Amino acid sequence: RHALRSFRVRPMSRKPPGPMSRILAMLVACASSSLALAPGPPLTPRASEPLLVATSGEADPQYGLLKSFRFDELRISGRQGLPGGKIDAHYSSRYWLVSLMNTHRSLVLRRIRSQLVFNVLVTCLILGARTVGFRPAVPITMHTLLGGFVSLLLVFRTNSAYARFWEARIIWGGVKNTCIDIVLAICANVRPRAPQAAADLVSALQLYPGSLSCQCRAEPPDGNLDPYALCLRMHKAVALAAAEVDASGPDRRDSVGVRLFELQLSRLNGDIDKLADAAGACSRITNTPVPLSYSRHTSRFLTVWLGTLPFVLAGAVGARLTLPCVIVACWLLLGIEELGHLIEQPFEVHSHLGEVRKLKDSESYDVGVPTRSLANNIVLGCQALVDLKEPATPHSPPPAAQELQEA
C-alpha cells in the first residue's frame, strides 16, 4: 500500500499510471512485505509454559537427559535447534522467496537433470528441423486430452508413495510410545522386586531401536542382534522376574502387590509383542515396493508426452518461447514423479545424505523417515527415565495422621 501511495503522489507524468505500472508497484510491495516477514531471532518458551529446567535458567541435573531428549525431538522435526545452535527454517509460505532462490540446490532437480538435458536436446532438434522446412502440423487436442491422464497417474503415484511414508512414521511413533511404556513399567514395578530382570530388560530394550533402524536400512545390526532376538531376550527377562516372585514364598504370592506385579508382567509381554509386530511391519514396507509395471508405464507415458510437447508449442507460442516452456514443464512434471520415487522407500534416508549435504548423524525429514535419529532419540528418552530419581523433598504427614502416629 505504501508503494502504491507513493506512486500516486509522485507520478512521472500527468497521465494516470497504466496497468503494467500498477502490477509492478504491487510486486514491489509484496516483495517488501515478504522481506519484513523474514525469520527473526529464535523464539524462547514463555515463563508460564511447563519446562524441565530450573526457574533460575540453569538446567536441573536431575532432568538433564529429559531436557536433551526434548530438544532432540525438536531438532529432528526441524522446529528447534540444540541449545546455542541454529534453527532450521521450517517450511512455510513465508519462505517462498528463499525456496525459489535455492532451486539450483534442490535434490529433486539434481536427480532429474539427465531427463531435463534429454528433453532440451529433443526440443533443440525439433526447432532446428523447423528452420529447414520440417514443420509437421501436430494438433494440441491430443496433448490436452492426455494431460489429464498424466495428472492422474502422477497423483496416484505420489499418493501411494506418501501412504508408505506415513505408515512408516506411524510405526516408529508406536515403537517410541511402546518403549517409553515398557521403561515406565520397569522403573515403577519390576526394578523394586526383581532388579536383575529389570537390568536385563533395560539392556535389551535400549538395543532394540538401533537394531530396528539397521533392519529398515537393510544393514547388518550392530553386534549381530536381530529385533526378534531382542524381543526374545525381553520375554526371558520377564519370565525371570516372574520366577523371582515365585521364589519369594507361597505366603506373599496371594498379596495384592504380587497380583498387581503379575498384571504388570502380563502387560509387559503384550508391549514386547507390539515391538515384534513393529519389526514385521517395517520389514513389509522395506521388502514390498510399488508395482514396477505401474512405475515403468508412468515414466514412459511422461517421457513420450514431454518429448512430443515441442511440436505443439512451436506452432502455438513460437520458436523463442518453446524451449523455456518445455524446460519449465519438464521440471515440474518430472519433479513430481521423482518425489514419488524418493519417498517410496521411506527408510533410505542414508543413501541421500550426501546429496542433501547432511552429516551422517543429522538425519531429518528431508527425503524420508530418519530412523537413525529416531532410534537415538528413543534410547535417550529411555535412559533419561531409567536414571530419573524421585526428588528427596521431605514432606510432613497430614495433622490427623501425625496425631495417630503419636498416639
Side-chain angles (χ1 to χ4, degrees):
R1 289 195 299 269
H2 177 70
L4 290 176
R5 191 181 300 113
S6 61
F7 185 81
R8 294 193 185 97
V9 171
R10 294 181 299 172
M12 298 300 297
S13 62
R14 297 182 179 179
K15 297 181 179 180
M20 294 301 298
S21 302
R22 293 181 181 274
I23 293 175
L24 180 59
M26 293 178 65
L27 289 176
V28 172
C30 292
S32 60
S33 61
S34 64
L35 292 176
L37 292 175
L43 298 177
T44 55
R46 292 174 295 182
S48 59
E49 296 180 356
L51 294 176
L52 296 177
V53 297
T55 56
S56 60
E58 298 180 359
D60 191 346
Q62 178 181 350
Y63 298 108
L65 281 178
L66 280 178
K67 179 183 177 182
S68 301
F69 169 65
R70 296 302 183 188
F71 271 112
D72 192 60
E73 285 183 325
L74 297 176
R75 178 190 62 82
I76 297 173
S77 63
R79 295 164 53 198
Q80 176 74 44
L82 291 175
K86 297 181 179 180
I87 298 179
D88 294 334
H90 204 254
Y91 59 88
S92 172
S93 59
R94 297 186 299 176
Y95 299 99
W96 63 270
L97 185 58
V98 178
S99 300
L100 185 62
M101 295 176 62
N102 293 335
T103 304
H104 62 283
R105 300 172 54 187
S106 170
L107 171 63
V108 175
L109 181 60
R110 289 197 297 269
R111 290 176 64 91
I112 65 173
R113 57 189 173 188
S114 59
Q115 294 170 286
L116 281 176
V117 171
F118 171 77
N119 283 277
V120 168
L121 293 178
V122 171
T123 304
C124 292
L125 290 177
I126 294 174
L127 294 179
R130 290 177 61 88
T131 58
V132 297
F134 181 73
R135 298 184 179 184
V138 179
I140 198 175
T141 307
M142 185 60 66
H143 278 75
T144 303
L145 293 176
L146 295 180
F149 295 102
V150 170
S151 303
L152 290 177
L153 280 175
L154 292 177
V155 167
F156 292 154
R157 179 75 175 82
T158 309
N159 283 349
S160 60
Y162 183 79
R164 293 164 59 87
F165 165 81
W166 187 241
E167 182 183 3
R169 184 62 187 92
I170 289 177
I171 292 172
W172 271 91
V175 168
K176 179 179 179 179
N177 296 337
T178 305
C179 290
I180 296 298
D181 291 343
I182 291 176
V183 170
L184 293 176
I186 292 173
C187 296
N189 301 288
V190 181
R191 188 163 55 182
R193 294 178 177 271
Q196 183 59 39
D200 295 342
L201 267 172
V202 171
S203 63
L205 184 63
Q206 288 182 339
L207 292 174
Y208 175 83
S211 178
L212 182 62
S213 176
C214 292
Q215 174 186 315
C216 293
R217 301 161 175 270
E219 299 175 354
D222 297 336
N224 197 20
L225 295 176
D226 188 78
Y228 297 112
L230 293 174
C231 291
L232 179 60
R233 284 179 53 182
M234 286 186 276
H235 276 300
K236 289 182 178 180
V238 172
L240 178 62
E244 292 183 10
V245 174
D246 291 339
S248 61
D251 297 334
R252 298 179 57 189
R253 205 177 304 163
D254 296 333
S255 63
V256 177
V258 172
R259 292 180 181 179
L260 179 61
F261 181 67
E262 293 175 351
L263 178 61
Q264 292 295 331
L265 293 182
S266 177
R267 289 189 57 188
L268 278 176
N269 282 324
D271 290 337
I272 296 170
D273 291 337
K274 291 180 181 179
L275 295 181
D277 295 340
C282 290
S283 178
R284 181 185 70 245
I285 294 177
T286 305
N287 301 323
T288 308
V290 175
L292 298 179
S293 58
Y294 185 85
S295 179
R296 290 169 184 164
H297 185 70
T298 304
S299 179
R300 293 164 184 164
F301 193 171
L302 196 56
T303 302
V304 173
W305 193 86
L306 291 174
T308 56
L309 185 62
F311 289 105
V312 179
L313 293 180
V317 299
R320 294 184 177 180
L321 295 178
T322 299
L323 185 59
C325 292
V326 169
I327 292 176
V328 172
C330 292
W331 171 52
L332 296 176
L333 295 180
L334 294 175
I336 296 174
E337 184 192 21
E338 189 60 32
L339 285 177
H341 290 158
L342 281 174
I343 63 177
E344 176 186 341
Q345 290 293 345
F347 299 130
E348 293 186 357
V349 183
H350 60 288
S351 60
H352 309 298
L353 288 180
E355 301 180 60
V356 296
R357 300 177 183 177
K358 295 282 186 178
L359 299 179
K360 184 178 181 181
D361 296 329
S362 62
E363 294 180 347
S364 60
Y365 289 97
D366 288 336
V367 290
V369 179
T371 56
R372 178 178 284 127
S373 297
L374 292 177
N376 293 336
N377 180 258
I378 294 173
V379 174
L380 182 62
C382 293
Q383 187 63 40
L385 293 176
V386 169
D387 296 341
L388 187 64
K389 297 180 181 180
E390 292 294 332
T393 55
H395 58 280
S396 59
Q402 189 173 3
E403 294 176 1
L404 182 60
Q405 288 179 1
E406 292 177 356

